[in-house]
Amino acid sequence: EVQLVESGGGLVQAGGSLRLSCAASGRTLDDYAIGWFRRAPGKERERVSCISISDGSTYYADSVKGRFTISSSNAKNAVYLQMNSLKPEDTAVYYCARQRFCGATLIFGSWGQGTQVTVSS
């Protein structure tokens, strides 16, 4: 079983940067996709980015396109989300989740604790 743990969140001023990590334990992330999601209070969970571990293809929500970059480690045991030019609207708890492919409706397993990102004005 693959366990995913998010880290790297914090408090940053608008315009700043953070790098989130999604670390896998148990085995590598071959042959599926890892998505980054976020949830702000009072809002639906939003898929912000995804990477296909098998072919490297990526997805970005319009709200983060051009500012966020998703990547995977060479060992395929971690996925990163580099977040630049952060805005207060990016404030949310960020989660990573395994999916069969980018764009899939379902995730494997359950949502973890996530990592809090807070962007101040």
Side-chain angles (χ1 to χ4, degrees):
E1 179 182 2
V2 176
Q3 301 288 331
L4 302 179
V5 179
E6 304 93 341
S7 63
L11 174 64
V12 65
Q13 291 184 318
S17 299
L18 287 171
R19 189 186 73 162
L20 305 185
S21 296
C22 176
S25 62
R27 61 188 179 193
T28 65
L29 299 171
D30 280 341
D31 301 324
Y32 56 92
I34 296 293
W36 279 101
F37 302 78
R38 66 187 181 188
R39 180 184 284 274
K43 298 185 65 177
E44 296 290 328
R45 197 184 307 271
E46 175 189 18
R47 176 164 54 95
V48 299
S49 189
C50 183
I51 185 167
S52 172
I53 303 302
S54 58
D55 65 14
S57 61
T58 58
Y59 161 87
Y60 299 96
D62 288 342
S63 58
V64 307
K65 195 172 299 181
R67 300 187 297 119
F68 291 9
T69 303
I70 192 169
S71 62
S72 62
S73 67
N74 290 336
K76 298 183 179 180
N77 59 357
V79 170
Y80 307 101
L81 187 68
Q82 179 67 45
M83 306 187 297
N84 298 326
S85 302
L86 283 163
K87 304 175 180 179
E89 306 95 281
D90 297 318
T91 295
V93 178
Y94 284 70
Y95 305 86
C96 62
R98 180 190 177 197
Q99 298 186 289
R100 183 66 59 85
F101 54 89
C102 285
T105 301
L106 302 178
I107 68 167
F108 291 113
S110 59
W111 299 106
Q113 186 176 29
T115 185
Q116 176 72 51
V117 172
T118 303
V119 184
S120 63
S121 301

